[in-house]
Amino acid sequence: MKRSGMAVVVALALGVAAGAALAQAQAKPEQLVKQRQSVMTLQGKYFGPMAAMAQGKAPYNADIVRRNAAFLDNLTRMPWDTFEPSTKDVKPSGALPAIWEQSAKFKEAASRLENEANKLYEVSRSGDEAAVKAQIGAVGKACGGCHESFRQKQ
Ligand code: HEC
């Protein structure tokens, strides 16, 4: 009895794993676009207040920077696997065909953001205000640099 009970548990676990793998492989293009737009929207949500502080448009708040930098560090690793060729013709999307025509350059722009956001996370924990503000600027350049080449003009 015990033994077959275990077999059922194992079979169920494998079934769940296979189901998850399948869901990943079959994600609909519309769903992928929605996911990346959601991540980008959240990047904007958490980066915006930090950019305002770096530009002197909002008072500097080290606690908010520490929290937002941690969120951003994670968010910047999320959107890239949704940029599948299957999403090329999904509308509405601000993604330009250059993403797939110059994929090495796109990946480089994505890594650049990940690296700068990770540095911001580090410096937000130990750095002084000037260093943090400078790093916020570097993150902003990484956002803008990619949008310049790979996102439709607003
Ligand atoms: C490697 C390229 C790349 C980087 C780096 C990048 N973005 Fe984007 N972003 C895009 C693309 C491409 C789109 C259009 C996605 C779509 O509509 O399918 C986009 C869209 C957006 C949108 C609009 C989302 C929507 O709902 O339509 C916002 C907001 C945004 N990005 C913010 C940011 C912020 C903030 C950063 C930096 C922290 C950033 N992005 C970094 C490529 C990038």
Side-chain angles (χ1 to χ4, degrees):
M1 250 343 239
K2 240 187 178 173
R3 204 167 255 247
S4 68
M6 180 63 93
V8 169
V9 169
V10 169
L12 281 176
L14 288 174
V16 167
L22 210 62
Q24 180 87 2
Q26 293 178 336
K28 290 208 170 61
E30 290 74 17
Q31 195 180 6
L32 293 170
V33 170
K34 195 172 168 188
Q35 288 168 344
R36 73 186 177 221
Q37 289 175 341
S38 304
V39 177
M40 288 286 167
T41 299
L42 288 176
Q43 287 186 166
K45 173 179 175 182
Y46 294 111
F47 182 65
M50 297 196 286
M53 289 177 210
Q55 292 161 3
K57 292 178 185 160
Y60 187 74
N61 181 322
D63 290 334
I64 292 179
V65 170
R66 261 196 296 275
R67 186 198 66 163
N68 286 18
F71 287 160
L72 198 65
D73 182 35
N74 284 299
L75 285 164
T76 58
R77 282 176 244 151
M78 292 179 199
W80 318 124
D81 67 353
T82 64
F83 284 95
E84 282 193 10
S86 66
T87 62
K88 262 183 203 167
D89 301 318
V90 176
K91 301 272 175 299
S93 162
L96 291 178
I99 291 168
W100 298 280
E101 291 159 7
Q102 305 169 38
S103 61
K105 199 181 153 199
F106 182 74
K107 284 197 185 101
E108 207 178 286
S111 308
R112 181 176 163 204
L113 175 63
E114 284 187 43
N115 291 337
E116 298 296 8
N118 188 250
K119 271 190 215 155
L120 177 60
Y121 170 77
E122 297 293 346
V123 83
S124 74
R125 258 130 194 90
S126 57
D128 60 17
E129 188 177 320
V132 171
K133 284 181 171 173
Q135 190 55 31
I136 292 171
V139 170
K141 278 197 188 129
C143 307
C146 182
H147 289 169
E148 184 62 34
S149 310
F150 297 106
R151 183 187 175 194
Q152 265 168 36
K153 300 283 166 289
Q154 298 306 290

